[in-house]
Amino acid sequence: QVQLLESGGGLVQAGGSLRLSCAASGNIFRINRVAWYRQAPGKQRELVSLNTSGGGTEYVDSVKGRFTISRDNAKNTVYLQMGSLKTDETAVYYCNIKLVHDTRGYRVSGDYWGQGTQVTVSS
């Protein structure tokens, strides 16, 4: 059974920084694509950043230069370093990981979501 556990959210003043973590557990063989999404109240979930197994990285324009996605494959953990946070970035942030895991002797691909972590940016 694969599970993702997010941490690192909280309350921060505008201009501040936070680092989100997303740790995957289970019989994980390989992590492929990782991504962070966010959903603000009354809005649709949006993609913030993604990183592929080949090293490709993308960011939504509004966070370029301020956010950094990274991964530690040895720890099966993904990070999102967020800086110069703005009040309108208050949202629940979700990690999403596409990975391959071992189950009953088979390699299985799966797409998993974290439980979400609240980030609140105050003025």
Side-chain angles (χ1 to χ4, degrees), residues 75-123:
K75 296 181 179 180
N76 291 328
T77 300
V78 182
Y79 305 97
L80 185 67
Q81 179 69 47
M82 305 184 295
S84 301
L85 282 160
K86 305 175 182 179
T87 56
D88 62 1
E89 292 178 317
T90 292
V92 179
Y93 285 70
Y94 298 90
C95 62
N96 173 249
I97 298 180
K98 300 184 190 301
L99 55 79
V100 178
H101 62 97
D102 293 328
T103 181
R104 300 178 182 177
Y106 294 93
R107 296 268 166 85
V108 178
S109 296
D111 188 340
Y112 296 89
W113 289 86
Q115 81 281 12
T117 186
Q118 177 70 46
V119 172
T120 301
V121 186
S122 63
S123 58

Side-chain angles (χ1 to χ4, degrees), residues 32-53:
N32 293 327
R33 175 187 181 273
V34 301
W36 288 94
Y37 291 75
R38 63 188 177 191
Q39 187 166 18
K43 295 187 177 181
Q44 289 189 333
R45 189 174 297 188
E46 69 166 344
L47 175 64
V48 176
S49 179
L50 66 85
N51 174 265
T52 66
S53 57

Side-chain angles (χ1 to χ4, degrees), residues 13-65:
Q13 286 191 328
S17 299
L18 280 176
R19 189 177 81 155
L20 306 182
S21 299
C22 175
S25 62
N27 293 324
I28 297 168
F29 172 70
R30 181 180 67 246
I31 290 180
N32 293 327
R33 175 187 181 273
V34 301
W36 288 94
Y37 291 75
R38 63 188 177 191
Q39 187 166 18
K43 295 187 177 181
Q44 289 189 333
R45 189 174 297 188
E46 69 166 344
L47 175 64
V48 176
S49 179
L50 66 85
N51 174 265
T52 66
S53 57
T57 300
E58 296 179 14
Y59 298 93
V60 66
D61 285 346
S62 61
V63 308
K64 286 180 180 177

